[in-house]
Amino acid sequence: MPSRPLQPHDEEQLRGGLLAARSPAGRALGWVARDLAGLKVGIALGGGAARGFAHVGVLEALRRAGLTADYVAGTSIGAAVGAMYSLGSTVEEMTAVLQRLGNTIGFGWRSPRQRCCPAPGSAPASVLSWATC
């Protein structure tokens, strides 16, 4: 992990005895602490075309929970999603890439929401409420 100089607000927090875990300095300190304690976190993403969307969902759920992976490994689509995640791609960016990839190679992949919910106006309102999708 590259070193970054402490920002003035980081120094102020350290003097007070508390450094926010979500700040760049806090994440760097957490990484060092996990390394010293032997508690690094790794995630392995498997292959299988449609799993790509599931991988993106899991990574987003982990992000929302405040967990980040120190190491990422993957096979096939898992390697592609892992690479995008490691490069800092957003969920929207990863999903767009997966959709373009699927359309390019002829799978016509759609996200789970697109598979379950018809386009507005294509089904009678009595059959499906668009708001539930």
Side-chain angles (χ1 to χ4, degrees):
M1 172 170 264
S3 63
R4 295 182 182 103
L6 288 176
Q7 300 298 316
H9 66 276
D10 294 329
E11 291 178 12
E12 188 177 305
Q13 286 183 340
L14 281 171
R15 282 190 202 97
L18 182 63
L19 179 62
R22 292 183 188 241
S23 72
R27 284 193 297 274
L29 184 60
W31 188 88
V32 170
R34 288 191 308 278
D35 187 44
L36 292 173
L39 299 173
K40 291 280 188 92
V41 176
I43 188 164
L45 306 173
R51 287 191 183 139
F53 288 108
H55 294 328
V56 172
V58 167
L59 292 170
E60 174 62 9
L62 291 172
R63 185 199 62 78
R64 287 182 184 179
L67 302 172
T68 57
D70 297 305
Y71 302 105
V72 180
T75 298
S76 190
I77 196 67
V81 172
M84 289 186 287
Y85 170 79
S86 297
L87 291 170
S89 297
T90 66
V91 169
E92 292 78 16
E93 291 168 336
M94 288 188 273
T95 301
V97 168
L98 290 176
Q99 288 172 334
R100 280 195 313 270
L101 176 65
N103 292 335
T104 299
I105 59 178
F107 283 125
W109 290 340
R110 295 174 296 163
S111 70
R113 178 181 171 140
Q114 291 170 323
R115 278 197 315 266
C116 297
C117 302
S122 65
S126 61
V127 175
L128 177 67
S129 169
W130 183 249
T132 63
C133 295

